[in-house]
Amino acid sequence: MLLRLDPLITFLVCLEKQIKSLSAEVESLKNPQNLGATTRLDELRDENTKLKYRLNILKRSLQEDLPVQDSKAMLNINQRLQQVFGGAITASYPELEDPPLAVTPSQQAKFADYQCNSAMSMAQMLKAKGTKVSPREIAEKIIKNLPENELIEKTEIAGPGFINVHLKRPFVSQLLSNLLVNGVQPPPLAKKKKVVVDFSSPNIAKEMHVGHLRSTIIGDSMCRLFEFLGYDVLRLNHVGDWGTQFGMLIAHLQDKFPNYLAVSPPISDLQAFYKESKKRFDNEEDFKKRAYQCVVRLQSKEPDFIKAWNMICDVSRKEFQRVYDCLDIKLIERGESYYQDMMTKVVKEFEERGFVELDEGRKIVFAQGQSLPLTVVKSDGGYTYDTSDLAALRNRLFDEKADIIIYVTDSGQGSHFQVVFAAAQMIGWYDPKVTRVEHAGFGVVLGEDKKKFKTRSGDTVRLMDLLDEGLKRSMDKLKDKERDKVLTPEELVKAQRSVAFGCIKYADLSHNRINDYVFSFDKMLDDRGNTAAYLLYAFTRIRSIARLANIDEAALRQAAESTEVRLDHEKEWKLGKCILRFPEILTKITDDLLLHTLCDFLYELATTFTEFYDCCYCVEKDRQTGEVVKVNMWRMLLCEATAAVMAKGFDILGLNPVSRM
């Protein structure tokens, strides 16, 4: 992703080129042969002086807007190359407005490290302007205009106009040394933005089921990513804790436990309690009427009804927390009830702006460009999900002052959020060019029969049952590998939890969230292929190399500061470049919120490390005694850098590796 400051950088390049051109003309006019040019010479000098003054002003402005460069931060090599090539492209063809800038890692490592593939698209743009020039000519001109830089060793033109880029090995080696000395640090931020992520969002009085699994796991990982990058993140759990169902539950509570105000009722099995009340609501007319009366009294905030509501909510919260504790999820609960008092103001604001229409007793809002309306007030005077979602969005924009708001729910709610966002823009709450408000939708979880994931009896799978099954299966797997014979009981339990919950999370995150995915314990616990089991075992093996070589952390730290990370062998070079792509991967995910990209990268890193380790001896031992006779410390440092990046990647995904497995 190119920095938003790049248009300004591009303009500066054009300005500098213009100044050079004017300076050349000034020098030409100084020639005694150019008689009578005095007036023109004075004009040019005056114009050049003004341009130089403007250039200095812009440079100062740019310097103020650029993120503070932190020598400890990991450099995004792709982004740096885009800046270099962006300047060269603008200098080569200043007449092109917003020219394409395509810089990617090379798919063929033997030919190059990166590629600039802009020339072909630029040829089409120039042709449309009436200028016919071949992509190879364009590529040659771009290369001639490349500014002095710290990272490019050489460039070559391949095929119709691809520019192959070779990085300087000492430059890559130095970046690896910085990583080892300073740890895995995020790239610098131009501005510390406020991010609100709305995820998980179960309904009170209903158990969390597999349908909540994806929202919880994906939303938590997004929060971890933004937190690592230095954003101010607010994790919100928009639980369903208001509405008609609570009148139904309170009426049933009054009947079943008349003394509930004095003695806490035994309603730990809320699912059964909910089903009982729902059955009565559907079949008993008197009960249904009383349930509606209870809703009115709850909304009027009568103390006894608020107490009953709190009791029901507290039972649910305890059940939710069991799941969150297993998955290491942290959330701030702000349910629908939190926004109740804000809804009246929202409806009034839309009415005052003339956006509200009456439709058979309902109050509806048609957003520009949307065919379906929002119902902000029902015919009975009550509010809806539309009203609470508008109130929540307004609160996040104006009270929380969020720069980025992300809703993590299933893709089926995409059209609903599209209308909510359109209404908010229509009334002027935010400008999408300034504030990012986005629905990160996801597909459904399927069983191995490719149908919606359910129990054999056809019920929705309880999330706690799923997690318990994961624990059982991971312990079986560890015992099959005879880990119970080498690990202490405490280590075995840690490994069990790490594998079970890590595999469940990774199986979800490693699939493109937009698509449905098949849930299979057998596949996710397989220690071959792109699975958490494989990566966790690989990470444990990498961490064990230094221990087996009797090298402690202090020795590694000292080596990081004094030993050059040599990259002479092709596998060393390949691994070093792979490690340093980490910031590029994170930047891409902040743009598209597709976390499977990080999973793919970690798998690539693990397999690239295996290639390196198979070809390059880190520790050499005596074949007879098994004693260590030589340690290639620069290779040990490559092991350490790999492990450090993997550990940070695991942290963003919410995986918890253990030292022994």
Side-chain angles (χ1 to χ4, degrees), residues 141-294:
K141 197 169 183 180
I142 291 170
I143 288 173
K144 283 179 185 174
N145 282 294
L146 281 173
E148 288 293 320
N149 62 84
E150 75 284 13
L151 71 167
I152 298 176
E153 177 71 36
K154 65 175 181 176
T155 55
E156 300 161 335
I157 300 173
F162 301 109
I163 301 175
N164 285 338
V165 180
H166 298 264
L167 299 176
K168 293 178 180 177
R169 296 203 178 205
F171 170 76
V172 172
S173 175
Q174 185 57 53
L175 290 182
L176 290 166
S177 293
N178 290 347
L179 183 157
L180 288 158
V181 170
N182 301 311
V184 182
Q185 301 293 332
L189 277 181
K191 177 189 173 187
K192 186 173 183 176
K193 294 183 177 180
K194 177 74 172 282
V195 182
V196 173
V197 184
D198 178 326
F199 68 106
S200 194
S201 308
N203 289 313
I204 295 291
K206 294 181 181 179
E207 288 179 305
M208 289 183 76
H209 54 75
V210 74
H212 297 112
L213 181 68
R214 299 205 77 183
S215 177
T216 304
I217 290 171
I218 295 168
D220 175 62
S221 191
M222 285 181 187
C223 291
R224 289 171 179 268
L225 171 63
F226 282 109
E227 285 160 353
F228 170 65
L229 293 174
Y231 292 83
D232 177 14
V233 180
L234 178 60
R235 300 156 157 261
L236 288 185
N237 196 5
H238 189 85
V239 298
D241 66 349
W242 206 249
T244 305
Q245 75 269 27
F246 283 93
M248 178 181 83
L249 289 163
I250 292 169
H252 189 52
L253 182 71
Q254 290 171 336
D255 290 348
K256 197 164 184 181
F257 305 103
N259 63 339
Y260 73 91
L261 291 171
V263 181
S264 294
I267 52 170
S268 58
D269 189 352
L270 260 185
Q271 189 77 356
F273 190 80
Y274 180 88
K275 285 180 179 178
E276 289 171 11
S277 61
K278 183 70 169 71
K279 187 176 180 181
R280 292 185 67 191
F281 186 83
D282 292 340
N283 298 318
E284 300 175 26
E285 197 58 37
D286 288 344
F287 179 81
K288 190 172 189 175
K289 287 179 183 175
R290 197 152 54 83
Y292 280 127
Q293 290 169 358
C294 288

Side-chain angles (χ1 to χ4, degrees), residues 117-128:
N117 305 327
S118 299
M120 284 66 73
S121 301
M122 289 173 66
Q124 294 296 321
M125 290 179 75
L126 287 164
K127 186 178 179 182

